[in-house]
Amino acid sequence: MIATFLVLDYDIISGFLLEYALSKPWQELHSQLMNQQSNTQTDRDARQLRSHRWFGPDDLRSFGHRSRLKGMGIDDADFRGKPIIALVNTWSDLNTCHSHFPQRVDEIKRGVLQAGGFPVEVPAISLGEMLMKPTTMLYRNLLSMETEELLRCNPIDGAVLMGGCDKTVPALIMGAISADIPSIFFPAGPMLKAHWKNETLGSGSDAWKFWAERCAGNLCDGDWNAIENCIARSAGTCMTMGTASTMACIAETLGLTLSGASSIPAVVAEHSRLAVATGRRAVELAWSNLRPSRFITPQSIDNAIMTQLTIGGSTNAIVHIIAMAGRAGIALSLDRFDELSEKVPVLADLRPSGRFLMEDFHQAGGLAALLSRLQDVLNLDCPTVGGTTLGGQIAGAEVLNDQVIRTRDNPLWRTGGTCILRGNLAPNGCVIKTVAAESRLLTHRGPALVFDNYPELKSKINDPDLPVTQDTVLILRSAGPLGAPGFPEWGMLPIPQKLLKAGVRDMVRISDARMSGTSYGTCVLHVSPESHLGGPLALIRDGDIVELHVPHRRLNWLVDDAEIARRKAAWQPPTNRWNRGYNKLFANHVTQAHEGCDFDFLAGRSPGAEPDIF
Ligand code: FES
């Protein structure tokens, strides 16, 4: 009869079940099961587990929950009285950076089982940076919401967050912060270094570099094809210090990964062992009820900012750190990045700012070794999921290569790798990655050449008659959170072909877009408010003089106030193209770049109510 129940719809048979549940045979069976459960328990009380609400009570609903697991071939000995650990897996066949996750799932599950937990794999939307259009940033908040709700609505005591490719990292962490259920982050790890002729190649950064040479007529088809065939050498994330590696380092600094996790290459045995150890640790976190709220504090957020600065990390991390802090109820202004920038030099000599790649960084000692050189400025008491503190995690770490991880008296850049600028062209702020720009351009004055949108930029940039010199300031509008839509990585505007042929490789470029963490150049990004909302970029015209002064943190537009007011009065807001579905939700609720681009209704430490109807 039980077998019959397992294949029928629960609601249809619930009345019949109630009658059966009160019968003697079931009571005897239940009593046997409870005895088995007590035999498998140690000194830990299963009633403290969140999943106990689903599986523990001697009532009809719990009977249903248990019986359906048994219908999948899962026995009491598998799950009763054990922490249920969810592997939130952002794998898909279309996510090129997570192609090794099926094997890692098996390894994480092995670790969970070793530690006496019960692993369950829970798929979540996979944000593959290379193939998703218009941009994965459009979907970061969707994955964060999915993560939060998956964790909340299911019988989950702890989670392993499996991500790596750019937006998956902040999205999973944002969701876990909001759900506030014990969670540990498992980074996908970077690809192995690529080799071509006598050079090492880094994904993204070297693609941009060689594309510029190809446009300048310096690279033949054969070489270009050879680079295409080898630049992505293995599974894993971009092996430069792009957004994925930056966010992995930030996750480790926040105390959300095991020590050393951020730089282990994706396809080496050490990464498999990390997976097993992460699974084991997730079980302990669940028993200890160590929630993200223990780890995400103003002090750990400062540590995360200092990490972003010292690794010469991606500008995207600024948006993501603000959003993660916001989920924890921590108000974070762009100004905090600039304040800490004064304290922290760039010590990681990694592309796109420097010379080396993530594999070199790992062999040089990785993040722990780097942070050991900043102990005087970091908040060392912040706890970590490994059961120690940040200070404990980096104690004894040793830098094994001073070229890759520079000393304090020989930094790659004297201050942090990014700066915040303000001025009449960016009243709410904007960002520049100074360490990846040509120094001579950090103080610059030149005439604007404005592109209304990305299609116009693409169609005109290589026009031989384009009125442009190396002093021109290229400007792209309609590329922000609302305008693009979705805040794409268009901020590294291409150098016009006629200038490439003349040897120009950097120019001042300004937009309300983001740029890839693997990109470089004198690119002013995240201008806020964006042009779509009538920000200054919407009003600037060809020939207006723009002044960039990074030492003074200024970005100004040398047009008098009366003229600006005239243009503003004449400006017509663009029509909103989004009127349905997720895109409409995004358009109605996304905040501006300086606010983290989270949805306005998701900010603040306000975990939703636990399910209370069973
Ligand atoms: Fe996935 Fe770069 S494309 S990390």
Side-chain angles (χ1 to χ4, degrees):
M1 186 175 293
I2 291 175
T4 308
F5 291 157
L6 293 175
V7 295
L8 294 175
D9 181 86
Y10 188 91
D11 290 330
I12 295 172
I13 63 171
S14 59
F16 185 51
L17 264 177
L18 178 62
E19 187 182 334
Y20 184 75
L22 297 173
S23 69
K24 193 161 183 298
W26 186 88
Q27 288 174 337
E28 284 170 3
L29 177 62
H30 180 75
S31 152
Q32 275 177 18
L33 297 180
M34 293 309 287
N35 287 339
Q36 281 179 22
Q37 178 189 352
S38 63
N39 290 338
T40 59
Q41 283 183 35
T42 58
D43 55 338
R44 286 168 159 170
D45 186 347
R47 288 172 298 184
Q48 73 192 73
L49 294 173
R50 185 171 177 270
S51 61
H52 180 78
R53 301 177 65 199
W54 277 260
F55 300 120
D58 181 10
D59 64 16
L60 178 58
R61 284 285 170 195
S62 299
F63 167 88
H65 302 153
R66 293 188 299 263
S67 67
R68 290 307 174 105
L69 289 194
K70 289 170 184 178
M72 295 196 296
I74 295 166
D75 211 343
D76 287 293
D78 290 317
F79 74 100
R80 295 291 301 271
K82 297 182 176 184
I84 311 290
I85 305 299
L87 282 61
V88 183
N89 187 1
T90 54
W91 171 88
S92 94
D93 271 335
L94 292 175
N95 191 327
T96 57
C97 303
H98 296 180
S99 61
H100 56 317
F101 270 7
Q103 184 184 338
R104 296 295 174 269
V105 164
D106 290 343
E107 291 156 350
I108 294 170
K109 284 183 173 179
R110 200 165 84 223
V112 171
L113 292 168
Q114 284 172 7
F118 183 64
V120 292
E121 185 180 354
V122 184
I125 185 172
S126 184
L127 309 181
E129 196 67 26
M130 297 308 296
L131 302 178
M132 278 187 103
K133 306 297 174 194
T135 165
T136 51
M137 188 63 185
L138 180 60
Y139 301 106
R140 183 200 65 179
N141 296 346
L142 181 63
L143 174 56
S144 81
M145 292 171 72
E146 185 183 15
T147 303
E148 176 181 351
E149 301 307 328
L150 277 173
L151 295 181
R152 180 181 297 124
C153 70
N154 283 303
I156 289 169
D157 299 301
V160 177
L161 310 171
M162 298 182 66
C165 192
D166 292 17
K167 313 306 179 296
T168 59
V169 187
L172 289 164
I173 292 174
M174 288 159 69
I177 292 171
S178 293
D180 207 24
I181 284 171
S183 300
I184 183 169
F185 187 77
F186 175 75
M191 285 186 262
L192 295 175
K193 287 194 285 193
H195 302 278
W196 176 64
K197 295 187 173 175
N198 289 326
E199 299 195 44
T200 57
L201 297 183
S203 51
S205 305
D206 286 310
W208 313 123
K209 183 177 105 177
F210 285 109
W211 175 247
E213 295 309 319
R214 182 164 164 76
C215 291
N218 299 332
L219 198 72
C220 68
D221 288 351
D223 282 349
W224 183 241
N225 287 337
I227 292 170
E228 178 179 310
N229 288 337
C230 71
I231 196 165
R233 183 172 166 217
S234 72
T237 52
C238 293
M239 68 296 227
T240 44
M241 186 49 85
T243 304
S245 297
T246 302
M247 292 309 301
C249 288
I250 285 169
E252 183 173 336
T253 305
L254 287 169
L256 298 176
T257 73
L258 292 182
S259 181
S262 58
S263 60
I264 301 173
V267 294
V268 301
E270 192 181 357
H271 199 261
S272 293
R273 295 198 298 274
L274 173 73
V276 179
T278 299
R280 278 197 301 266
R281 189 62 200 160
V283 177
E284 294 306 312
L285 286 178
W287 277 121
S288 310
N289 199 22
L290 284 172
R291 299 160 179 262
S293 49
R294 271 290 290 281
F295 305 106
I296 310 298
T297 63
Q299 292 73 30
S300 71
I301 290 291
D302 272 358
N303 288 340
I305 295 171
M306 287 189 272
T307 293
Q308 186 264 343
L309 292 164
T310 194
I311 61 180
S314 166
T315 46
N316 292 322
I318 294 172
V319 180
H320 300 321
I321 292 173
I322 292 172
M324 292 190 294
R327 293 293 182 96
I330 299 167
L332 183 60
S333 149
L334 284 176
D335 296 332
R336 187 64 180 153
F337 289 82
D338 235 26
E339 289 163 17
L340 292 173
S341 178
E342 288 301 313
K343 292 186 183 179
V344 181
V346 180
L347 298 183
D349 192 342
L350 300 175
R351 288 179 227 181
S353 310
R355 295 171 291 167
F356 298 99
L357 295 168
M358 287 302 289
E359 202 177 326
D360 306 307
F361 183 54
H362 186 60
Q363 285 166 2
L367 185 68
L370 186 154
L371 295 184
S372 73
R373 291 191 158 164
L374 293 171
Q375 294 190 49
D376 55 317
V377 292
L378 292 167
N379 300 300
L380 299 175
D381 293 336
C382 294
T384 71
V385 291
T388 178
T389 59
L390 182 67
Q393 202 151 285
I394 64 180
E398 192 183 351
V399 175
L400 301 174
N401 186 331
D402 284 340
Q403 289 192 61
V404 179
I405 300 176
R406 303 278 197 105
T407 57
R408 289 281 280 272
D409 55 10
N410 182 34
L412 187 66
W413 199 260
R414 189 188 60 76
T415 57
T418 49
C419 286
I420 307 301
L421 311 174
R422 293 183 193 273
N424 68 357
L425 202 48
N428 292 336
C430 60
V431 171
I432 185 170
K433 187 171 184 174
T434 43
V435 71
E438 284 192 16
S439 304
R440 65 182 175 86
L441 291 172
L442 295 179
T443 305
H444 180 82
R445 184 185 282 207
L449 179 61
V450 183
F451 300 92
D452 278 335
N453 51 52
Y454 190 67
E456 182 183 285
L457 170 81
K458 280 193 81 174
S459 70
K460 291 185 176 173
I461 194 72
N462 290 329
D463 183 340
D465 297 325
L466 194 71
V468 64
T469 73
Q470 62 181 342
D471 294 328
T472 301
V473 175
L474 301 177
I475 291 186
L476 174 64
R477 51 184 165 222
S478 301
L482 289 162
F487 206 14
E489 295 183 336
W490 297 337
M492 182 185 173
L493 277 64
I495 306 291
Q497 192 166 23
K498 69 179 185 184
L499 295 181
L500 283 172
K501 287 181 174 169
V504 176
R505 292 294 181 271
D506 197 6
M507 297 172 69
V508 175
R509 291 159 270 179
I510 300 173
S511 71
D512 43 18
R514 297 177 301 115
M515 78 174 180
S516 163
T518 64
S519 298
Y520 53 86
T522 311
C523 302
V524 178
L525 309 158
H526 309 183
V527 169
S528 180
E530 64 174 298
S531 57
H532 189 87
L533 294 178
L537 284 189
L539 310 177
I540 196 166
R541 293 180 184 167
D542 289 348
D544 290 349
I545 299 300
V546 174
E547 187 175 61
L548 171 68
H549 201 297
V550 175
H552 291 171
R553 303 291 193 266
R554 304 303 295 170
L555 179 67
N556 280 317
W557 174 35
L558 307 184
V559 172
D560 66 57
D561 291 345
E563 173 61 15
I564 291 174
R566 267 193 297 278
R567 294 185 195 178
K568 191 156 187 70
W571 180 74
Q572 294 290 323
T575 51
N576 194 346
R577 288 173 287 156
W578 290 354
N579 53 21
R580 71 173 299 278
Y582 173 75
N583 286 352
K584 184 174 182 181
L585 181 78
F586 185 96
N588 287 345
H589 294 285
V590 73
T591 59
Q592 288 287 283
H594 70 285
E595 300 165 311
C597 294
D598 202 358
F599 290 156
D600 50 14
F601 57 84
L602 292 174
R605 184 176 289 293
S606 54
E610 281 276 319
D612 57 1
I613 300 173
F614 279 78

